[in-house]
């Protein structure tokens, strides 16, 4: 199932960063990409120290869920 097609500057995240469960997704690029990897502790620290990042992530996740349900 394709959840999203990202434009330049877009982002994705793995749910296991949020709930410590098993990895659930595979990402495939259609061209060159620059990626950033992080661990759960660092990701959580960013979310706690930057509420705007957390809100943006929640908004994006809600959009993806709505899109996947239709």
């Amino acid at each position: 199932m394709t959840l999203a097609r990202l434009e330049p500057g877009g982002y994705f995240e793995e749910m296991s960063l949020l709930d410590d469960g098993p990895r659930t997704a595979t990402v495939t690029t259609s061209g060159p990409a620059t990626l950033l990897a992080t661990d759960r502790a660092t990701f959580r620290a960013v979310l706690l120290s930057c509420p705007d990042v957390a809100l943006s992530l929640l908004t994006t996740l809600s959009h993806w869920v709505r899109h996947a349900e239709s």
Side-chain angles (χ1 to χ4, degrees):
M1 171 190 317
T2 300
L3 290 181
R5 293 189 186 277
L6 304 177
E7 299 296 323
Y11 67 90
F12 62 92
E13 61 88 15
E14 169 53 50
M15 290 190 317
S16 62
L17 285 173
L18 297 170
D19 66 7
D20 207 23
R23 193 178 66 77
T24 60
T26 299
V27 175
T28 304
T29 65
S30 60
T34 301
L35 306 174
L36 171 70
T38 189
D39 58 40
R40 185 170 190 250
T42 302
F43 184 70
R44 288 178 59 91
V46 169
L47 294 180
L48 291 171
S49 66
C50 303
D52 288 345
V53 172
L55 290 172
S56 177
L57 177 64
L58 288 169
T59 300
T60 299
L61 288 173
S62 294
H63 173 78
W64 290 344
V65 168
R66 286 181 190 277
H67 183 311
E69 290 179 345
S70 56

